[in-house]
Amino acid sequence: EVQLLESGGGLVQPGGSLRLSCAASGFIFSSYAMNWVRQAPGKGLEWVSSISGSGGNTYYADSVQGRFTISRDNSKNTLYLQMNSLRAEDTAMYYCARDYSGNYPRGADYWGQGTLVTVSS
Amino acid sequence: DIQMTQSPSSLSASVGDRVTITCQASQDIRNHLNWYQQKPGKAPKFLIYDVSNLETGVPSRFSGSGSGTDFTFTISSLQPEDIATYYCQQYDNLPPVFGGGTKVEIK
């Protein structure tokens, strides 16, 4: 059974940093691209970032480019999102989601339950 | 970026009704379109990929059609457990973009 478990969310001040983690199990982690997708309170879904199965290719939304860094450790079956220079508009539930592609982001076939990030003073 | 416009933004229908949601892309996305279901307080669930292919385990009352810029998602007979918000998503170009969502309620 595919399982994705996010952690690392919380309350942070504007300008601060957080590192999200997503522990994956139930599939060959290195064979799949992985995504972070967020959802602001009461709003729709927004793709944030993706990384290929090997980790060699990364992709970012313009809204987080230069502030967020996606990475993965295939030996630990874990996905990360380092978030720096956080802004109030980054407040959202952050979902880790497996892509059904191995390389280029196409679609998220399995999702974690999410971790909430709140940016506020 | 490609824009994805869903309509309606919300709808109310009776159990057993046929429900149709449309999704329009701002440019040709070929068949690179997925659909998701999100129930209140839950993570999204992957329903349909490449316009019309049902993910394993998804009931056959769900279907999708279309190509190019105009796409349709249909629930052939609405069930109480289908109460959710539905999103389309394109992946023809980066960034992947979701539609604004359609909230489906029971009348």
Side-chain angles (χ1 to χ4, degrees), chain B residues 3 8 49 51 59 63 69 93 102:
Chain B
Q3 306 301 314
Y49 62 96
V51 175
S63 65
T69 60
N93 280 358
T102 297

Side-chain angles (χ1 to χ4, degrees), chain A residues 89-110:
Chain A
E89 55 265 36
D90 296 318
T91 294
M93 183 71 78
Y94 282 73
Y95 293 102
C96 163
R98 189 185 84 165
D99 204 282
Y100 63 83
S101 164
N103 185 20
Y104 182 87
R106 297 179 67 180
D109 61 353
Y110 286 92

